[in-house]
Amino acid sequence: MELTKSMNAFSVNGKTYHLPDKAVVVICFDGCGDEYLDVALARDKMPNLKKMALRGYRGMVRGALPSFTNVNNTSIVTGVSPALHGICGNFFYDRERDQEIMMNSAEYLRTPTILAAAAKTGRKVAVITAKDKLRDILSHELEGIAFSAEKATEAREDTHGIAQVNKFIGLDTPPVYSAEASLFVLKAGVALLQQKKADFLYLSLTDYMQHKYAPEAAESLAFYQAIDTEFGRLLDLGAIVGITADHGMNAKQNPDGSPKVIYLGSLLEEKFGQGFRIICPITDPYVKHHGALGSYVVVYLPEGMAEAEVKTWLLQQPGITEVHGRDTSLHLLEQPGDRIGDLIVLSGRDTVLGKTPADHDLSALDSGLRSHGGRYEEMVPMAISHPLNTEYQAKAAGDPRNFDIFEFCLNGIAD
Ligand code: ZN
Ligand code: ZN
């Protein structure tokens, strides 16, 4: 494939990336816990992924915490942890302004992106997301193409680097709560690559299907099969394809299928009195499929409250697996110091954390509760279409991160 004339390398956020001659496609397969791939592969639904695993690489990588979408997408496109890029959830509490602030905007991003840097070398960069909420951060300072499946009809040449997306791809805009929203992103990527409009792509899907269906559900298998077909098209076009996820997904339920929720606000109030502020950083305008319930919340203590006492008590509560004060939040959880509270609380594989029952609408959960946010959704798959060189084989065997995926695709491919 013919490429635009480009420099061979660029550096961003302390890492140097070497540009291959081939087109590069990195996919964030939203909510794709490794079990989904295992089940689909075992049932022969993903022949192209199987090919990738045999010829290239398939393994596990560690995501950033909290295991939420915007946190990890931002890590992937910057190559660094939330401590550096600053995006640590959909919401944070600004103590100075005494306001809960939504972070879905590049205004809160503290580092440049790999995508914008690649574009500066002359590569034809394209970012396509399922939900429009991510587009602003991912396309920060990008000279290239950026649009979402959700608002494809709104894409304009001067603001999105492309117009008439639907005509170009030959597809109507899909509903945002659908399997088609993710497939649209991949099909758009195929079209851009095919028509040589882009040679450096970041394709970010949505986890609607994983929130709704377990790996072995017929709907999941059909979805993974359709996704795999698009992987095959990208491989056929000769691109280096790297696939990872922002987080996994687990059933957060009691054995009877009811949501397993710890209402932390109610619990703390009952034990220690009023004045706690709980931030559920999963909260966003698209709450339908998780009720703003995840396995990670941030707690601000009332003034004068003894942190150690609250922490010790919380750690004794069933379902709570980790409680971090400021120090370990910064170092172990890689959080930005000015956007976290006094305590960060994580819950178990089957448990989510909320404020009070009145703050969460469970009636919208029509098919049980599957969610993410905590430690048990932190390890995610990584697959690369091409064999890794010795250096990156060793790196893959260590503690690779999902936000190293551009590094693997650009620096890690064997000659
Ligand atoms: Zn996600
Ligand atoms: Zn989600």
Side-chain angles (χ1 to χ4, degrees), residues 1 23 25 124-129 144-147 160-165 168-169 184-203 234 237:
M1 150 172 261
V25 182
K124 291 190 273 187
V125 177
V127 179
I128 312 172
T129 68
I145 295 171
F147 62 92
H160 299 69
I162 189 167
Q164 298 202 296
V165 168
F168 178 74
I169 307 161
F184 182 96
V185 173
L186 293 176
K187 287 177 181 174
V190 169
L192 289 178
L193 199 59
Q194 223 160 27
Q195 303 185 33
K196 300 192 186 340
K197 280 202 180 278
D199 57 36
F200 195 102
L201 294 92
Y202 182 60
L203 308 177
L234 294 169
L237 287 164

Side-chain angles (χ1 to χ4, degrees), residues 74-114:
T74 310
S75 282
I76 292 168
V77 301
T78 57
V80 293
S81 77
L84 293 172
H85 64 62
I87 305 293
C88 56
N90 289 328
F91 275 88
F92 77 102
Y93 173 60
D94 187 330
R95 266 183 171 146
E96 268 167 37
R97 283 197 266 174
D98 187 26
Q99 250 175 27
E100 294 183 16
I101 292 171
M102 192 156 117
M103 246 186 298
N104 282 336
S105 143
E107 191 190 328
Y108 300 100
L109 178 64
R110 292 176 167 157
T111 51
T113 72
I114 296 165

Side-chain angles (χ1 to χ4, degrees), residues 98-224:
D98 187 26
Q99 250 175 27
E100 294 183 16
I101 292 171
M102 192 156 117
M103 246 186 298
N104 282 336
S105 143
E107 191 190 328
Y108 300 100
L109 178 64
R110 292 176 167 157
T111 51
T113 72
I114 296 165
L115 303 169
K120 287 199 183 92
T121 70
R123 293 296 290 240
K124 291 190 273 187
V125 177
V127 179
I128 312 172
T129 68
K131 292 179 183 176
D132 202 62
K133 70 168 182 178
L134 269 178
R135 192 175 55 85
D136 190 51
I137 289 175
L138 300 183
S139 66
H140 181 56
E141 290 180 350
L142 172 66
E143 293 282 335
I145 295 171
F147 62 92
S148 67
E150 183 186 7
K151 295 192 174 166
T153 51
E154 292 174 20
R156 294 202 327 257
E157 199 69 55
D158 56 336
T159 48
H160 299 69
I162 189 167
Q164 298 202 296
V165 168
N166 299 87
K167 207 172 139 196
F168 178 74
I169 307 161
L171 286 172
D172 287 336
T173 299
V176 70
Y177 294 118
S178 71
E180 285 70 33
S182 288
L183 289 165
F184 182 96
V185 173
L186 293 176
K187 287 177 181 174
V190 169
L192 289 178
L193 199 59
Q194 223 160 27
Q195 303 185 33
K196 300 192 186 340
K197 280 202 180 278
D199 57 36
F200 195 102
L201 294 92
Y202 182 60
L203 308 177
S204 184
L205 314 186
T206 165
D207 60 3
Y208 166 75
M209 288 298 283
Q210 291 86 349
H211 272 290
K212 210 165 159 60
Y213 300 108
E216 51 285 345
E219 290 87 347
S220 286
L221 292 168
F223 175 60
Y224 273 73

